[in-house]
Amino acid sequence: MNRGEIRTAVKQRLAIPASGDGQLTDTVLDSLINTALAHISQARQWPWLLNTQNVTFSNGTAYLPPDFIMARSLVYDSRPVTWLQLEDFISAPDTDYSGYAWTIVGNQAQLTPVPTTDITTTLYYYRAEPELYSDYSTPVMPAMHHHLIVAYASYLAAIIRQDEGRASVHMAEYNAIMGNMRDDLNQSTSRRIRYRRGYDYATWT
C-alpha cells in the first residue's frame, strides 16, 4: 500500500466519514502513519531495513548515514573491524587488537588506532524507514506487513480521540501482529556460526 491507501485503511478502521473528521484530518493521519513507521522500524532489526554504505574515515572519524539506526558490521579490507564498547575503546591504545577497532560516539564512528591516511570502509547498518512524503510513497516494509502500520496508526489516532477502549483494541492487534512477524522472521532467518579458517573471528551465516 502507498500512503494514500494506508490512510484510507486507517479511516475505515476509525469509521471516519468521507467528509472528514475535524480532529483527525488527512494531514494529522499522514503524520500518524509516519510516526507509526518510525516506531516500527526501531522495534526490531528488520531484514528489509539492512543497508550498506561506504564510509570514509578521516583522522579516525567518519559521520554515520543520516538514516542510521543500528550498526550490524563495519568491514575494512574484506574483514570485520572489531567493535568495542566506549569504555574499552578509550583504553584501546594499550591493547593489541591486531588491526583496527571501532565504536560510535554521537553521530560519528571512530577508529583506533587512528589511521595514518584516510581509509574507506563498508558499513552494514539498519536504517530508518524513509518518511512518506506523498500519497504515492510506499514503505520499504514488504506490503504483506502493512497492516501493522494501520494498526499502530489507528492506536495513535484513538489516543488523540482519548478513546482508551479503542486504543487498547488497536494496541492488542498491533502486539499480536508484531508477535507473529517476529516468530515468522525467527524461523526464516535462523543463523549458524561459521569459523573462517586463517582468521581470528567467526561470522554469522
Side-chain angles (χ1 to χ4, degrees):
M1 291 188 286
N2 57 35
R3 190 187 71 176
E5 292 167 332
I6 295 172
R7 186 177 65 242
T8 297
V10 172
K11 281 184 168 183
Q12 292 173 347
R13 188 72 59 88
L14 300 171
I16 296 177
S19 57
D21 183 314
Q23 191 175 32
L24 295 171
T25 64
D26 284 359
T27 300
V28 171
L29 291 176
D30 291 343
S31 177
L32 296 183
I33 289 169
N34 278 312
T35 299
L37 264 178
H39 175 82
I40 295 167
S41 69
Q42 298 184 53
R44 184 187 166 93
Q45 298 173 10
W46 302 113
W48 55 82
L49 293 179
L50 184 61
N51 197 26
T52 62
Q53 181 167 313
N54 289 337
V55 174
T56 299
F57 285 82
S58 180
N59 294 321
T61 300
Y63 282 100
L64 298 170
D67 59 353
F68 175 90
I69 289 183
M70 180 182 296
R72 176 69 179 270
S73 182
L74 184 72
V75 176
Y76 175 64
D77 196 22
S78 301
R79 296 183 60 181
V81 180
T82 302
W83 163 261
L84 296 178
Q85 297 295 334
L86 181 60
E87 294 79 6
D88 296 326
F89 182 85
I90 292 172
S91 62
D94 300 324
T95 308
D96 180 16
Y97 287 102
S98 64
Y100 295 116
W102 77 296
T103 195
I104 293 175
V105 180
N107 64 344
Q108 295 181 333
Q110 295 188 12
L111 279 179
T112 188
V114 176
T116 56
T117 61
D118 291 357
I119 66 170
T120 298
T121 64
T122 301
L123 176 65
Y124 293 80
Y125 70 100
Y126 293 96
R127 61 172 174 165
E129 276 273 3
E131 185 173 349
L132 305 181
Y133 287 106
S134 78
D135 282 353
Y136 301 100
S137 302
T138 57
V140 176
M141 175 191 292
M144 63 183 294
H145 301 310
H146 287 183
H147 50 296
L148 185 67
I149 307 169
V150 176
Y152 198 78
S154 298
Y155 160 75
L156 295 174
I159 292 296
I160 291 177
R161 283 179 165 175
Q162 299 183 338
D163 188 340
E164 295 182 3
R166 296 306 302 174
S168 297
V169 170
H170 296 312
M171 177 52 73
E173 179 188 14
Y174 168 81
N175 287 331
I177 298 172
M178 179 67 78
N180 290 335
M181 286 175 61
R182 285 173 171 165
D183 291 343
D184 291 343
L185 287 172
N186 286 338
Q187 293 176 8
S188 63
T189 60
S190 59
R191 301 181 298 173
R192 61 184 176 83
I193 295 178
R194 179 182 66 195
Y195 182 77
R196 303 194 67 172
R197 188 176 302 275
Y199 294 99
D200 57 354
Y201 64 89
T203 60
W204 288 104
T205 59

